Amino acid sequence: MPISNSTVSVTTDSVLQLYSRGSRQHYFPTSELIYLQGDGNYTWLHWVNRPSIIMPKTLKQLAEMLPPGKFIRVHRNSIVNCQYVERLERLKAGLGIIHLVNGSALPVSRRRWESISELLGNA
């Protein structure tokens, strides 16, 4: 369900407002957002019970709109909601993978591994 020509804002109660040109506002609670994945100047938003949405914003722009302490950047192209982390897996050469409850597995960068592992309590 791609939404093109859209803008995004966040309110204090952790709700993303997505606007489609020529359409009404759509409100999505950030608590239902599993992870975000950057794709150049676009970002895919992956939800619990909704189809994924692509937004014409960079991952950095959207990261600034997320509630602090609930989301963590695990790689240059992905941010995850901490409440949907199933487990962390350490691979050879310092790389890691973060497994989410929806079955997704995302890479964890070497330089972020220790801080992510500490924050998530070795989930």
Side-chain angles (χ1 to χ4, degrees), residues 21-91:
R21 193 180 300 198
S23 181
R24 61 187 179 101
Q25 298 176 16
H26 302 277
Y27 296 93
F28 298 98
T30 57
S31 62
E32 294 180 7
L33 182 57
I34 300 173
Y35 69 99
L36 299 86
Q37 194 161 32
D39 188 5
N41 288 326
Y42 294 87
T43 301
W44 283 96
L45 297 114
H46 300 275
W47 305 93
V48 175
N49 293 317
R50 303 177 196 276
S52 297
I53 298 171
I54 191 166
M55 295 299 301
K57 298 276 186 192
T58 64
L59 191 62
K60 182 179 179 178
Q61 289 171 317
L62 289 173
E64 294 168 357
M65 298 176 182
L66 296 171
K70 295 186 180 191
F71 290 83
I72 185 168
R73 189 162 198 149
V74 296
H75 196 269
R76 65 180 168 83
N77 71 347
S78 52
I79 297 173
V80 300
N81 186 334
C82 295
Q83 76 182 41
Y84 295 108
V85 174
E86 185 176 281
R87 66 186 172 94
L88 292 172
E89 179 182 0
R90 186 70 176 215
L91 303 175

